Amino acid sequence: MTEMLKVTVDRRPPLAVIYTEGYINNQGGEEIARVAYDLIEGDHTTLLLNLKGTKIVNSIGISILIEIIEKMLEIDGRLAFCNLTPTIEKTFHIMGLAQYAQIFADEEVALGELTV
Amino acid sequence: MVDSTVMREVTLTLPMLPDMEIAASKTATALAEFMEMSSDKIDEVRMAVVEACINSFEHSQADDRKVEIRFVVLGNDDPERLQITIKDSGVGFAPDTVERPRIEEKLIAANKRGWGLTIIKGLMDEVEIHSGADGTTVVMSKLR
């Protein structure tokens, strides 16, 4: 029943790409946060969340993503997203998340912008 | 005006257990696919169902710890509208008093949750909420 979230990371200091695969619910959001805070501790100041492998999220998971955005703002860092489904992107716009975290069509475009 | 003939109907009773919202979302997906909704619309319905279930699981305080969900495909010769009714027997709430969350406030608040109704209303075409001491019923629909 449960679609467990898998999280992997590609470190490219000071940037890191976090890849997710599965459902971002409360446990999934907490796993992303755990990985993100480890990266922040390791002086990664720009995080790109590539959600290509995630087709569904819920608001509890997104609220944990908001915590990560808050943390990134505190350290003058950046959190960005790429490869969102149209519905997840629409949801982020409904919530206003797009004002505080950039959304890119894909990883190539994102890295081009974030590494300038 | 959309014809209101019931073309297909499915009812589920789900226990309020972790990730049971996924079961509801799969039923919604199956019916939306039967209607030949676009994949984007199917995803929107799926997410709205997930949010409605989670709201009920998290806030209803229903003694029976169950939620009833009725999925109805409405139309005439062709399916036109998917109507989903999510009902619990919890303590209810006053929908008119629920403030729309603001991201700039949530970013600095300890509680960053409370987005469910905003998401549901943003993704579905019509949403009605009836709530009282005997529970809450959310009726939401999406046109094909």
Side-chain angles (χ1 to χ4, degrees), chain B residues 70-110:
Chain B
R70 180 173 179 253
F71 304 85
V72 180
V73 176
L74 298 163
N76 194 356
D77 292 333
D78 294 315
E80 296 293 340
R81 183 161 52 115
L82 177 57
Q83 184 182 73
I84 302 165
T85 303
I86 292 130
K87 185 175 186 301
D88 65 58
S89 57
V91 297
F93 70 108
D96 294 342
T97 66
V98 177
E99 287 188 16
R100 182 187 167 94
R102 295 164 55 87
I103 186 67
E104 55 271 30
E105 293 172 0
K106 288 292 182 183
L107 271 169
I108 55 174

Side-chain angles (χ1 to χ4, degrees), chain A residues 1-4 23 25-27 54-60 62-71 73-74 85-88 90-100, chain B residues 18-23 25-26 39-44 46-47 50-51 54-55 58 100-104 106-110 112-116 118-119 121-123 142:
Chain A
M1 174 58 67
T2 305
E3 298 178 25
M4 294 296 291
Y23 181 25
N25 54 6
N26 51 337
Q27 292 95 343
T54 288
K55 305 305 175 196
I56 187 162
V57 302
N58 71 30
S59 58
I60 304 174
I62 300 173
S63 68
I64 298 171
L65 299 183
I66 295 172
E67 289 178 13
I68 303 172
I69 294 172
E70 180 186 24
K71 183 71 175 174
L73 292 172
E74 284 173 7
T85 68
T87 300
I88 293 175
K90 182 174 181 176
T91 301
F92 283 5
H93 281 284
I94 290 168
M95 297 172 68
L97 236 68
Q99 298 171 56
Y100 295 92
Chain B
D19 291 332
M20 287 306 294
E21 70 276 13
I22 295 296
S25 78
K26 286 179 177 172
S39 60
D40 288 353
K41 285 193 174 188
I42 292 173
D43 270 356
E44 290 175 7
R46 191 161 73 129
M47 183 144 180
V50 163
E51 290 304 321
I54 288 173
N55 268 354
E58 295 264 313
R100 182 187 167 94
R102 295 164 55 87
I103 186 67
E104 55 271 30
K106 288 292 182 183
L107 271 169
I108 55 174
K112 302 194 186 310
R113 292 170 58 176
W115 294 95
T118 298
I119 293 171
K121 288 175 180 174
L123 296 177
K142 187 85 162 174

